């Protein structure tokens, strides 16, 4: 037993020292790939310290049932085992955290809890000989350890399963799941699906694959592999591709063992993307014949979700047959939401309109709450029939022939909340009618006989009502000029290639800069013809015109072709998802796309530095300049290199460092862009060049992934 306890104590001490060392130097630590499987055993091992600490806490309750001589050795052994398993679990957790995908305060609290529990346990182990003589103090410290264990485990559960994982079922059981039909489909339905099936691994605290699905902004930002949604094309969207992979495939999402999306959820996501992946479209905006309307209805029915915060109606729904008969090529009648009995009707095509189009709606007058008659030859006489629809809440009469006399027929509609009479002959007399509708909250009156004085009078007289006067043009308003275009479609320029700019608006002047500064009409150069560039250059341009506000700045980076490099080899294998074409990627003269880092034109590194040795050939010319082309995509953790070095020499094993540079890092989120780093060194003939670029570690404090490892992406190295 003594040998076992001694072995466990020594193991605990060694792990404490390693943990302390790794904790202090965390920002400099890079976990090699062969250690990552050990880190991934953290979720498996963590159950052992939980059980052992609980046994330590409850052991005194069983003391009277044990032989008195056996109690201290048993307690001492449990303490040794608890400390060793706690320390191992904390160490594996440290390794796992270095893989990335976890961020925010939750990770930090979980990490601190695990480390402190490990240190507390080891301190308890050292002091056990004396503490065993004071059992109450010993149990108090053990109780503190159990409390610390609970806190750390709580934050660990939030990292793994999402926020409030433990109590979420109780909250759901006491609250009926509802949707707000007045909110966008993307917010109320798409995010709800992703939150229930995906956000436990892809949220603001835990971003597996650098992907956060907890908000629309994060969803459209994509992850480490770029955008996951291609609006209008669900088949090519990475999100849907992952969801439809076989369950046994390692890339299938959600992973096997996690709750899977059902067919109604998959269909809704797919149809929403195919219909443009709109962030703003609401259920009420859809035609009832549209595929998205049908997909939403199927999902709502399957999930058993009710509408919330919308109007509640006590009247029964109209029969499906009546609604079907009312729908014609010139009239549409549909529910205001999937679960409401209330109906809305729109009549259109001016030449096809007859008063009978309104009269036919009498079959659903108990359910009709919205009627749109815009730009039809509706008269005051026709409004008598409209007045029969007493449940109306919204009436749209824009562009019709009605007057205030016809509006008097609508005073029977005591539920009216919105009235639109723009582009009609309505005049100041409407002021005497408005009090007849006690619930009226908005009236649209632009392009009527109401002048600004009358409209201001209405606003003052009815302060609880919004009087919409529409857009009032200002004769002195100055508009923005559109930006110019860079029509040169190549990014690596040959000796005779030039950069061309253009603008289609007559009389526009284009000013540009080639030093990275912002152009303006005074300091920028006036564009008078194609621009010849000498080397790596960032061209920025703006358009100007008399009487217009200057345009936004456009920016494009260009590179100049260098000498031919015979071959290259990579000292570290790129990330398996961003292999490009291997070493050929940096020599092929082809520039990558800043919107996507996947494909053959980029190679990416995160856990290892980029390091390439290039052979310039036996007859290499004298060189003194190297340009390192990289991707900056701050939203995807792709940053400028932390440092970059160039080494040169006659042989691979006889290289000396020629230059080292520390690039300036962004201080805020910036647009996706291809940039270059220029490095100059002493002119000479070098057979071999070695370029080393280290990824940022850790990410800066302003970034959403602060504390995580960054990426470095390379597409071309040019030597001159």
């Amino acid at each position: 037993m003594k040998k076992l306890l001694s072995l466990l104590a020594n193991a605990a001490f060694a792990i404490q020292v390693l943990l302390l060392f790794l904790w202090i130097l965390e920002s400099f630590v890079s976990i090699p790939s062969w250690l990552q499987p050990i880190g991934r055993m953290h979720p498996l091992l963590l159950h052992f310290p939980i059980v052992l600490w609980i046994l330590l806490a409850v052991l005194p309750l069983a003391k009277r049932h044990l032989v008195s001589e056996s109690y201290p050795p048993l307690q001492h052994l449990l303490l040794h085992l608890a400390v060793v398993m706690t320390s191992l679990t904390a160490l594996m957790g440290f390794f796992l955290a270095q893989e990335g995908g976890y961020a925010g305060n939750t990770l930090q609290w979980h990490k601190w809890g695990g480390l402190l529990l490990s240190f507390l346990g080891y301190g308890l182990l050292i002091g056990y000989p004396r503490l065993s003589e004071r059992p109450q103090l010993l149990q108090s410290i053990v109780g503190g350890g159990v409390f610390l264990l609970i806190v750390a485990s709580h934050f660990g559960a939030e990292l793994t399963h999402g926020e409030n994982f433990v109590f979420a079922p109780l909250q759901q059981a006491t609250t009926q799941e509802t949707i707000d039909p007045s909110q966008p489909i993307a917010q109320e339905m798409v995010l709800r699906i992703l939150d229930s099936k995906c956000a436990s691994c892809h949220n603001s605290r835990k971003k597996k694959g650098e992907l956060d699905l907890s908000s629309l902004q994060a969803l459209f930002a994509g992850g480490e592999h770029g955008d996951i949604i291609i609006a209008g094309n669900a088949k090519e969207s990475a999100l849907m591709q992952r969801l439809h992979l076989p369950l046994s495939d390692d890339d299938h999402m959600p992973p096997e063992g996690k709750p899977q999306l059902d067919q109604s959820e998959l269909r809704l996501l797919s149809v929403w993307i195919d219909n443009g992946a709109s962030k703003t479209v609401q259920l009420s905006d859809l035609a009832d014949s549209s595929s998205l309307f049908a997909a939403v209805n199927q999902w709502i029915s399957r999930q058993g979700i009710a509408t919330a915060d919308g109007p509640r109606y006590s009247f029964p729904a109209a029969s499906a047959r009546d609604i079907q008969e009312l729908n014609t090529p010139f009239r549409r009648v549909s529910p205001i939401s999937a679960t409401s009995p209330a109906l809305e009707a729109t009549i259109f095509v001016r030449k096809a309109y007859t008063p009978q189009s309104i009269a036919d709606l009498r079959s659903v007058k108990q359910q009709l709450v919205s009627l749109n008659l815009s730009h039809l030859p509706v008269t005051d006489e026709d409004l008598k029939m409209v007045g029969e629809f007493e449940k109306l809440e919204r009436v749209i009469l824009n562009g019709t022939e009605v007057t205030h006399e016809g509006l008097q027929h609508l005073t029977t509609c005591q539920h009216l909340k919105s009235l639109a009479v723009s582009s009609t002959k309505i005049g100041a007399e409407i002021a005497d009618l408005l009090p007849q509708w006690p619930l009226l909250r908005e009236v649209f009156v632009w392009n009527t006989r109401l002048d600004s004085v009358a409209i201001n009078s209405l606003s003052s007289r009815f302060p609880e009502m919004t009087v919409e006067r529409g857009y009032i043009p200002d004769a002195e308003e100055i508009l923005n000029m559109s930006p110019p275009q860079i029509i040169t479609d190549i990014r690596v320029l040959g000796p005779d290639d030039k950069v061309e700019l253009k603008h289609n608006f007559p009389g526009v002047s284009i000013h540009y800069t080639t030093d990275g500064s912002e152009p303006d009409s005074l300091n920028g150069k006036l564009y008078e013809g194609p621009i010849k560039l000498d080397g790596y250059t960032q061209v920025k341009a703006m358009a100007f015109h008399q009487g217009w506000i200057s345009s936004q700045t456009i920016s494009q980076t260009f590179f100049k072709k260098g000498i031919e490099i015979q071959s290259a080899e990579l000292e570290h294998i790129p990330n398996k998802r961003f292999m490009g074409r291997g070493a050929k990627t940096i020599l092929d003269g082809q520039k990558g796309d800043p919107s996507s880092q996947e494909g053959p034109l980029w190679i990416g590194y995160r856990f290892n530095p980029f390091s390439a040795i290039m052979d310039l050939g036996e007859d290499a010319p004298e060189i003194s300049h190297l340009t390192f082309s990289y991707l900056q995509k701050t939203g995807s953790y792709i940053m400028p290199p932390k440092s970059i070095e160039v080494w040169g020499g006659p042989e691979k094993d006889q290289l000396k460092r020629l230059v080292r540079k520390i690039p300036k890092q962004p201080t805020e989120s910036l647009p996706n862009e291809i940039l270059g780093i220029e490095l100059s060194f002493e002119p000479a003939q070098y057979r071999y060049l070695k370029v080393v670029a280290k990824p940022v570690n850790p990410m800066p404090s302003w970034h959403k992934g602060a504390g995580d490892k960054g990426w470095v992406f390379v597409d071309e190295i040019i030597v001159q």
Side-chain angles (χ1 to χ4, degrees), residues 378-381 383 397 400-410 419 421 424-427 429-430 433 437 449:
V378 175
T379 65
D380 290 344
E381 186 68 21
L383 291 188
L397 300 170
T400 62
E401 300 172 10
V402 301
T403 68
H404 76 282
E405 294 181 357
L407 293 183
Q408 293 179 7
H409 299 304
L410 303 185
L419 176 64
V421 290
T424 65
K425 300 176 183 179
I426 297 297
E429 299 87 353
I430 193 175
L433 288 174
W437 297 293
R449 294 180 178 177

Side-chain angles (χ1 to χ4, degrees), residues 84 93 111 154 211 238 264 372 454 474 486 539 549 616 641 665 700 714 720:
V84 171
K111 186 190 301 181
H154 166 72
L211 180 61
S264 68
N372 186 347
D474 185 349
I486 298 178
V539 177
I549 297 175
L616 278 59
Q665 296 295 324
V714 190
Q720 294 169 323

Side-chain angles (χ1 to χ4, degrees), residues 584-643:
K584 293 181 180 179
T585 306
I586 62 176
L587 309 178
D588 58 11
Q590 299 183 51
K591 301 298 297 172
D593 184 345
S595 65
S596 175
Q597 61 269 31
E598 296 191 75
L601 301 182
W602 289 110
I603 51 176
Y605 290 85
R606 191 181 192 195
F607 296 103
N608 294 309
F610 165 83
S611 182
I613 298 178
M614 299 176 291
D615 183 356
L616 278 59
E618 293 182 1
D619 301 323
E622 184 179 271
I623 59 171
S624 61
H625 193 82
L626 182 144
T627 303
F628 180 88
S629 174
Y630 68 93
L631 175 62
Q632 180 173 281
K633 195 173 183 180
T634 56
S636 297
Y637 296 54
I638 303 174
M639 310 288 281
K642 181 179 181 180
S643 66

Side-chain angles (χ1 to χ4, degrees), residues 303-601:
Q303 305 302 321
I305 296 175
T307 57
D309 299 327
R312 303 288 183 177
Y313 300 102
S314 58
F315 48 76
S319 70
R321 181 177 179 180
D322 285 344
I323 296 175
Q324 184 177 3
E325 290 178 351
L326 288 172
N327 278 284
T328 71
F330 309 113
R331 181 176 56 213
R332 189 186 76 183
V333 179
S334 61
I336 63 171
S337 70
T339 58
S340 176
L343 301 176
E344 57 185 356
T346 301
I347 301 174
F348 29 81
V349 183
R350 186 178 185 88
K351 292 183 179 180
Y353 169 78
T354 66
Q356 189 62 37
S357 301
I358 298 177
D360 291 343
L361 296 173
R362 287 171 174 152
S363 62
V364 293
K365 70 177 183 179
Q366 292 301 316
Q367 293 83 22
L368 194 63
V369 299
S370 176
L371 180 60
N372 186 347
L373 302 174
S374 296
H375 306 292
L376 298 176
V378 175
T379 65
D380 290 344
E381 186 68 21
D382 297 336
L383 291 188
K384 289 182 180 179
M385 291 183 289
V386 176
E388 298 177 24
F389 308 139
E390 298 179 355
K391 300 293 178 62
L392 281 174
E393 298 176 0
R394 183 176 67 163
V395 177
I396 304 175
L397 300 170
N398 298 331
T400 62
E401 300 172 10
V402 301
T403 68
H404 76 282
E405 294 181 357
L407 293 183
Q408 293 179 7
H409 299 304
L410 303 185
T411 56
T412 54
C413 303
Q414 290 295 290
H415 298 281
L416 196 64
K417 299 176 182 178
S418 176
L419 176 64
V421 290
S422 300
S423 300
T424 65
K425 300 176 183 179
I426 297 297
E429 299 87 353
I430 193 175
D432 297 327
L433 288 174
L434 295 181
Q436 302 296 318
W437 297 293
L439 301 180
L440 191 64
R441 290 297 175 264
E442 59 180 7
V443 57
F444 299 82
V445 295
W446 62 75
N447 195 26
T448 62
R449 294 180 178 177
L450 290 164
D451 56 22
S452 58
V453 175
I455 292 175
N456 290 336
S457 176
L458 287 179
S459 298
S460 300
R461 183 176 173 184
F462 305 103
E464 75 286 353
M465 188 184 304
T466 300
V467 181
E468 296 286 356
R469 63 185 71 194
Y471 172 70
I472 302 176
D474 185 349
E476 299 182 359
E477 182 177 7
I478 302 177
L479 302 177
N480 281 86
M481 176 59 60
S482 60
Q485 301 174 20
I486 298 178
I487 61 175
T488 303
D489 58 0
I490 57 174
R491 298 294 175 257
V492 181
L493 306 176
D496 300 323
D497 293 327
K498 297 180 180 181
V499 175
E500 294 187 55
L501 309 176
K502 77 169 186 176
H503 200 289
N504 295 323
F505 197 86
V508 167
S509 63
I510 300 174
H511 292 254
Y512 70 94
T513 61
T514 56
D515 59 1
S517 63
E518 293 296 317
D520 57 45
S521 58
L522 297 178
N523 300 323
K525 300 176 184 178
L526 177 64
Y527 178 74
E528 297 177 323
I531 309 166
K532 185 173 179 61
L533 304 179
D534 295 329
Y536 163 68
T537 307
Q538 187 176 25
V539 177
K540 293 187 175 183
M542 295 177 66
F544 299 86
H545 193 283
Q546 183 69 30
W548 293 67
I549 297 175
S550 58
S551 75
Q552 294 181 338
T553 302
I554 59 166
S555 175
Q556 185 63 64
T557 302
F558 294 92
F559 298 80
K560 201 74 171 180
K561 285 184 179 178
I563 68 169
E564 182 179 355
I565 300 173
Q566 299 298 316
S567 63
E569 60 181 86
L570 301 175
E571 292 194 308
H572 300 295
I573 299 175
N575 182 279
K576 65 178 182 179
R577 297 177 184 264
F578 307 111
M579 300 285 287
R581 297 172 59 217
K584 293 181 180 179
T585 306
I586 62 176
L587 309 178
D588 58 11
Q590 299 183 51
K591 301 298 297 172
D593 184 345
S595 65
S596 175
Q597 61 269 31
E598 296 191 75
L601 301 182

Side-chain angles (χ1 to χ4, degrees), residues 690-707:
K690 177 180 177 179
V691 181
V692 180
K694 296 181 179 180
V696 168
N697 180 25
M699 292 289 289
S701 58
W702 61 265
H703 196 275
K704 62 181 181 181

